[in-house]
Amino acid sequence: MASIEKRALSEQDICTKYITPALEEAGWDIHTQIRQEYTITQGRVIVKGRGKPSRETPKRADYVLFNKGNIPVAIIEAKDNNHSVGHGMQQGLSYAEMMKIPFVFSSNGDAFLEHDRTGQGEAVEREISLDAFPSPADLWSRYRAWKGLDGPTEEVVTQDYYTDDSGKLSRYYQINAINQTVEAIAKGQDRILLVMATGTGKTYTAFQIIWRLWKAGIKKRILFLADRNILVDQTKTNDFKPFGGAMTKISKRQIDKSFEVYLSLYQAVTGNEEEKNVFKQFTPDFFDLIVIDECHRGSAADDAAWREILEYFSSATQIGLTATPKETDEVSNIHYFGEPVYTYSLKQGIEDGFLAPYKVVRIDLDKDLMGWRPEEGMLDDYGNPIDDRIYNQKDFDRNLILDQRTQLVAEKVTEFLMNTNRMDKTIIFCENIDHAERMRQALVNLNQDKVSENHRYVMRITGDDQEGKAELDNFINPEEKHPVIAATSRLMNTGVDAQTCKLIVLDQNIRSMTIFKQIIGRGTRINEDYDKFFFTIMDFKKATELFADPDFDGDPVQIYRPGPDDPVNPPDPEDEEGNDSDSGENGGEFGDFPDGPEGGDFGDFGDLGGNVKRQKYYVGSVPVFVVAERVQYMGKDGKLITESLKDYTKKALLRSYSSLNDFLRTWTEADKKEAVIAELENQGLLLEALREEVGRDYDAFDLICHVAYDQPPLTRKERAEQVKKKDYFSKYGDQSKAVLEALLDKYSDEGILEVEDMKVLQLQPLNKLGTPVEIVRTFGGKDQYLHAVKEMQSYLYGYA
């Protein structure tokens, strides 16, 4: 009788009545060591054309058991008693792999199945009774043996995280990064490389690492180096704030040796002249720990200024943080720091739902593709003879300025925003400061209404312009509406936390994977409060061809290349010339590439002959046209889809349903069609994109049957008309009949998902027929209403 009662319990009841008591009996503290329904991922954002994005189901572990110091040691997956003891094991193992957890348990309330991933036990898996669950001391002892922790090392590794009243919890990958870094340092490793995609909280992770080492007493004086004033200031006032009076920012080349945590712009402690090398006022052994933010920017090069600092303080433990480690024949992060102790990629961040996916709009311009050669003896707008040669994409906006090209790019950007939201934050990456200024002017003239409302609607934000730089904080502040469009060159390609940026425009020659990843990172943050779930990249310079590079780790969900007459919206490195760099005063204190080629990742100068500067020509009379635009998609596997959307969709559908009958059977038997559609979307079906290509008037049912099984499609309106011609409604009273007719009209306008949802009764025109309770009552109750809706569906899809 007891077993029958247990089988009637829900999974939650099994947890409450059997698993949690077993853990407490084994000595686990419910308040400090046990976390239930532990959220691991947010769930990947699914972009649905122009519709509101949805999320895949987040990954949640039923239990995660922690030792002191925020170290997860075990996962438990629970199932109800209708499942076997080990039914949740595979799910638990996948979570344990993500979280670097050695012990996995599965239970149905009868017993536990234990899986030991350390390889040190007598058996990998064993079944144990409920009253034999390992104690915290037992699992920690086995954990220590697995990790090889001795007494002093254990004391450092178990040092508590910083916590406050905000209740903020570290994400699983941050815990991995923090724990693995602290463990490596505790074991004596003195050069650490940590690779984390932009937007994943590198600075917060660095703070927790420093805090634990500082509190453990093994790192007493710390130097945090960054290459932007804004990064140093944000770090001091935000993530590093708990250090309080122990922390200082090095400024005005003044040194006070009474502090413990030092933040510095690296330009503030070094220089070309010996007396400017402020860091040498410290003794070489002054710092125990140095953390280098965005270490790809300078420390990778043997002769970079950062390396001089690092070599001077060579006795200190050094941690390099980057989203984009640099590896070339001349420059290497790994050569200096060693292999990363942990990597969290852009692709994984998108898959987990912590980072925003993106679409790509590729626009090819005729002069970019075919080049342009001046007529013999042609003069530019200022009377300068134009060198007779073929000018190509690398020349435009550097050596040759075609005014109509700038105008066309500005028109396409404006068209995109007008079709989406003109207040969406937008960054346009231009070739140089001159190009950024001309782009600003073109956009101002195309958006006069918005500019008249607020002159800051379009701003040039470059290193040479104080007013523009002063607006950078407003641009990245989600609560500030203006500026909306920022035309820049280099200043904003790294270190700018633009949480609500929804459009990134590439009108800059980019051949560096490092720079490309950094620019893409400007849009990868998700901010649900401001409806920022994904972003779009508009590419005029073929920069997104770098997606095909094996070094890129996060393909787009969609790439679109419209034709000359198509709408711009998707259906639902080289140095600056001369003084055109985006660096600011004081040798680049506000700039991007203060180290020159070493810090700036510049490419070669092609036919420019090293440092030779070409004449600039300004030509306003040459017409420029759009040749092609296209959208390309990213499949479920994260790979860019190179075949046609229809062919890709057909293959994806046939993998799930090998025949039309298979699909029809599933569709017919489904209580809710939404479940069938959701499952297919999880398998890679790009329904909204397909609807844009095949027709927006078709229901998901017809799109699937037409594309996968070559059935002639009917529009929603045609299906609704067929139902109206039948004698289906006659058996209902006038009120019920009016409701069903309104539902049919709703289907015709919007589709089956809206009809299935009970919330439709609160919307027009249904809400004019009564309250939801009153409407349901006309059918005799909720069950009868749902039966009537399901019966209507059978007539809609022809299986009545």
Side-chain angles (χ1 to χ4, degrees):
M1 182 67 180
S3 62
I4 296 175
E5 291 177 355
K6 186 182 286 189
R7 286 182 179 273
L9 296 177
S10 67
E11 180 181 303
Q12 184 59 51
D13 288 334
I14 293 294
C15 292
T16 302
K17 297 178 183 297
Y18 295 95
I19 298 178
T20 300
L23 296 178
E24 292 183 298
E25 183 68 23
W28 292 89
D29 190 307
I30 190 72
H31 300 291
T32 62
Q33 295 180 303
I34 301 173
R35 295 186 193 171
Q36 288 185 254
E37 287 295 307
Y38 185 87
T39 299
I40 303 172
T41 71
Q42 292 289 89
R44 182 189 177 99
V45 173
I46 305 299
V47 181
K48 297 184 175 182
R50 295 190 180 95
K52 185 174 181 178
S54 61
R55 283 189 182 271
E56 292 182 350
T57 304
K59 293 180 179 178
R60 291 190 178 93
D62 291 325
Y63 292 83
V64 177
L65 306 184
F66 286 82
N67 194 302
K68 181 178 183 290
N70 219 22
I71 299 175
V73 295
I75 275 180
I76 305 172
E77 277 303 305
K79 298 297 176 185
D80 64 41
N81 200 248
N82 294 293
H83 294 87
S84 64
V85 172
H87 191 82
M89 180 55 69
Q90 291 189 147
Q91 184 178 0
L93 286 170
S94 69
Y95 294 165
E97 178 67 25
M98 294 176 68
M99 297 183 68
K100 312 298 182 188
I101 291 177
F103 306 111
V104 185
F105 298 85
S106 175
S107 179
N108 65 352
D110 288 338
F112 290 102
L113 180 67
E114 178 191 83
H115 185 109
D116 186 344
R117 298 179 65 235
T118 69
Q120 297 181 340
E122 295 181 3
V124 175
E125 289 193 353
R126 60 175 182 147
E127 187 171 306
I128 56 178
S129 63
L130 286 178
D131 60 2
F133 192 86
S135 68
D138 180 16
L139 281 191
W140 181 246
S141 175
R142 292 155 65 185
Y143 184 97
R144 288 177 71 252
W146 175 52
K147 287 288 190 177
L149 303 180
D150 56 21
T153 303
E154 180 183 1
E155 185 176 344
V156 176
V157 168
T158 56
Q159 176 63 47
D160 285 337
Y161 279 48
Y162 173 80
T163 58
D164 57 20
D165 295 334
S166 68
K168 178 179 179 179
L169 297 175
S170 303
R171 295 170 175 174
Y172 85 89
Y173 62 84
Q174 293 170 338
I175 292 175
N176 289 344
I178 296 163
N179 287 348
Q180 291 188 215
T181 301
V182 170
E183 182 183 324
I185 292 173
K187 290 181 176 180
Q189 188 171 332
D190 59 5
R191 297 293 182 270
I192 307 287
L193 180 61
L194 197 54
V195 179
M196 295 174 67
T198 300
T200 56
K202 289 193 300 296
T203 310
Y204 166 78
T205 301
F207 161 71
Q208 289 289 6
I209 292 168
I210 295 169
W211 179 269
R212 293 176 67 189
L213 295 171
W214 184 57
K215 282 294 185 180
I218 68 166
K219 303 298 178 187
K220 298 180 180 179
R221 286 188 291 218
I222 297 100
L223 173 63
F224 181 88
L225 285 172
D227 71 338
R228 295 283 189 83
N229 255 329
I230 189 171
L231 292 178
V232 175
D233 292 339
Q234 286 176 350
T235 299
K236 183 179 180 183
T237 57
N238 296 328
D239 289 318
F240 279 39
K241 185 178 180 180
F243 285 120
M247 172 178 59
T248 188
K249 175 187 174 183
I250 298 175
S251 60
K252 298 181 180 179
R253 302 189 177 275
Q254 300 297 314
I255 298 300
D256 183 341
K257 299 180 182 179
S258 63
F259 293 91
E260 296 175 72
V261 179
Y262 294 78
L263 309 182
S264 178
L265 192 72
Y266 85 87
Q267 298 97 315
V269 294
T270 186
N272 294 326
E273 301 174 26
E274 184 66 25
E275 63 270 22
K276 291 184 178 179
N277 289 328
V278 177
F279 69 87
K280 291 186 178 179
Q281 295 181 37
F282 296 105
T283 59
D285 62 352
F286 185 84
F287 292 109
D288 304 307
L289 175 67
I290 299 178
V291 178
I292 309 96
D293 194 23
E294 306 292 359
C295 68
H296 65 278
R297 300 294 296 281
S299 60
D302 289 340
D303 56 350
W306 291 33
R307 283 289 286 274
E308 186 181 359
I309 300 173
L310 301 186
E311 288 166 2
Y312 181 79
F313 296 114
S314 59
S315 63
T317 298
Q318 297 173 6
I319 303 173
L321 305 176
T322 182
T324 52
K326 187 183 299 183
E327 297 302 315
T328 69
D329 291 339
E330 298 81 23
V331 176
S332 173
N333 289 119
I334 291 176
H335 175 72
Y336 184 82
F337 288 103
E339 293 290 336
V341 296
Y342 185 70
T343 297
Y344 189 71
S345 68
L346 170 64
K347 181 178 180 180
Q348 190 61 54
I350 293 173
E351 184 64 31
D352 289 343
F354 294 118
L355 296 180
Y358 49 94
K359 301 178 181 181
V360 174
V361 178
R362 284 185 179 168
I363 302 178
D364 295 330
L365 306 180
D366 62 336
K367 299 302 184 290
D368 290 34
L369 294 182
M370 296 176 282
W372 177 77
R373 183 177 181 179
E375 298 175 3
E376 185 176 355
M378 185 175 181
L379 305 179
D380 76 355
D381 294 348
Y382 296 98
N384 300 307
I386 303 175
D387 283 352
D388 183 13
R389 67 181 182 90
I390 295 176
Y391 294 84
N392 58 35
Q393 194 174 60
K394 288 187 177 180
D395 294 305
F396 298 138
D397 297 302
R398 297 169 63 83
N399 311 308
L400 178 68
I401 287 79
L402 299 179
D403 288 344
Q404 293 192 35
R405 188 189 180 285
T406 304
Q407 181 68 20
L408 184 56
V409 171
E411 287 174 359
K412 287 295 179 181
V413 173
T414 301
E415 179 187 340
F416 183 92
L417 291 173
M418 283 184 169
N419 290 331
T420 51
N421 184 343
R422 294 180 71 191
M423 298 305 292
D424 282 349
K425 294 293 180 78
T426 299
I427 305 175
I428 306 178
F429 288 94
C430 302
E431 285 289 353
N432 47 47
I433 289 171
D434 174 61
H435 184 199
E437 172 56 24
R438 287 183 289 104
M439 186 64 66
R440 184 197 68 81
Q441 293 175 24
L443 287 162
V444 165
N445 289 328
L446 288 167
N447 295 274
Q448 295 182 37
D449 58 334
K450 290 294 183 183
V451 174
S452 65
E453 294 174 6
N454 190 312
H455 76 277
R456 295 180 300 133
Y457 180 76
V458 184
M459 293 290 294
R460 171 168 64 89
I461 300 180
T462 51
D464 72 319
D465 186 87
Q466 291 299 327
E467 289 189 6
K469 284 192 299 185
E471 291 297 331
L472 184 56
D473 284 347
N474 289 329
F475 180 83
I476 64 179
N477 184 351
E479 296 182 2
E480 292 289 342
K481 290 184 177 181
H482 298 91
V484 175
I485 303 175
T488 189
S489 173
R490 311 287 184 188
L491 184 62
M492 298 175 68
N493 71 354
T494 186
V496 176
D497 187 9
Q499 298 177 31
T500 55
C501 177
K502 292 186 179 181
L503 177 62
I504 290 176
V505 181
L506 304 179
D507 199 21
Q508 180 185 110
N509 281 301
I510 302 170
R511 294 293 175 262
S512 159
M513 180 60 70
T514 300
I515 293 177
F516 181 61
K517 285 185 177 181
Q518 289 289 340
I519 287 176
I520 298 305
R522 297 315 100 211
T524 54
R525 288 160 176 81
I526 290 175
N527 190 320
E528 297 190 21
D529 292 339
Y530 290 87
D531 198 32
K532 163 68 184 303
F533 292 89
F534 71 96
F535 67 106
T536 302
I537 301 168
M538 185 178 289
D539 180 17
F540 291 92
K541 290 287 184 78
K542 294 188 175 181
T544 51
E545 289 182 351
L546 288 169
F547 288 138
D549 192 303
D551 287 339
F552 194 77
D553 61 10
D555 291 324
V557 294
Q558 181 183 18
I559 296 184
Y560 171 52
R561 178 173 284 167
D565 299 323
D566 294 332
V568 69
N569 300 69
D572 195 13
E574 297 164 11
D575 188 12
E576 313 267 343
E577 290 186 27
N579 294 324
D580 272 346
S581 74
D582 232 4
S583 57
E585 305 95 4
N586 303 324
E589 185 165 343
F590 299 98
D592 300 283
F593 301 111
D595 285 336
E598 296 85 357
D601 199 17
F602 304 132
D604 62 29
F605 285 85
D607 62 353
L608 297 183
N611 293 320
V612 176
K613 179 181 177 182
R614 284 192 179 276
Q615 170 74 42
K616 272 189 179 181
Y617 303 107
Y618 293 80
V619 182
S621 60
V622 176
V624 181
F625 304 99
V626 171
V627 175
E629 300 182 29
R630 70 168 178 169
V631 175
Q632 200 166 341
Y633 303 85
M634 184 171 70
K636 177 66 177 176
D637 60 359
K639 302 292 185 181
L640 207 61
I641 300 169
T642 55
E643 59 192 322
S644 74
L645 179 60
K646 288 184 180 180
D647 289 343
Y648 169 80
T649 304
K650 184 171 184 176
K651 290 179 182 178
L653 290 167
L654 290 176
R655 282 196 296 268
S656 299
Y657 304 105
S658 60
S659 69
L660 176 60
N661 286 337
D662 287 343
F663 171 71
L664 291 177
R665 186 181 307 111
T666 301
W667 186 266
T668 302
E669 294 173 357
D671 287 333
K672 282 204 169 187
K673 313 308 179 193
E674 180 183 26
V676 179
I677 295 170
E679 178 59 29
L680 287 172
E681 286 182 331
N682 285 337
Q683 297 302 318
L685 175 66
L686 300 166
L687 187 59
E688 284 300 316
L690 197 66
R691 184 172 282 128
E692 293 285 358
E693 186 167 312
V694 179
R696 294 200 64 82
D697 294 331
Y698 296 120
D699 190 38
F701 176 84
D702 283 279
L703 288 172
I704 292 168
C705 290
H706 174 62
V707 172
Y709 309 107
D710 301 316
Q711 298 297 303
L714 295 175
T715 66
R716 295 189 301 273
K717 186 175 181 180
E718 288 170 338
R719 288 197 173 277
E721 290 298 328
Q722 285 187 355
V723 175
K724 289 179 180 179
K725 291 176 183 178
K726 297 178 181 178
D727 195 29
Y728 162 56
F729 292 137
S730 60
K731 63 181 179 180
Y732 291 100
D734 290 341
Q735 283 184 300
S736 298
K737 183 178 178 180
V739 170
L740 293 172
E741 287 176 342
L743 286 173
L744 204 55
D745 289 338
K746 200 73 174 175
Y747 165 82
S748 180
D749 292 338
E750 300 183 39
I752 194 63
L753 298 187
E754 283 69 20
V755 173
E756 288 188 321
D757 194 335
M758 290 284 290
K759 292 180 182 178
V760 72
L761 301 180
Q762 302 172 20
L763 306 177
Q764 291 185 354
L766 278 302
N767 58 3
K768 296 180 180 179
L769 301 176
T771 66
V773 173
E774 291 170 343
I775 290 174
V776 166
R777 192 177 296 143
T778 65
F779 289 86
K782 182 179 178 180
D783 290 344
Q784 290 87 340
Y785 166 79
L786 293 175
H787 175 76
V789 173
K790 194 166 186 179
E791 188 179 35
M792 185 178 73
Q793 291 181 23
S794 70
Y795 281 95
L796 273 172
Y797 299 115
Y799 52 81

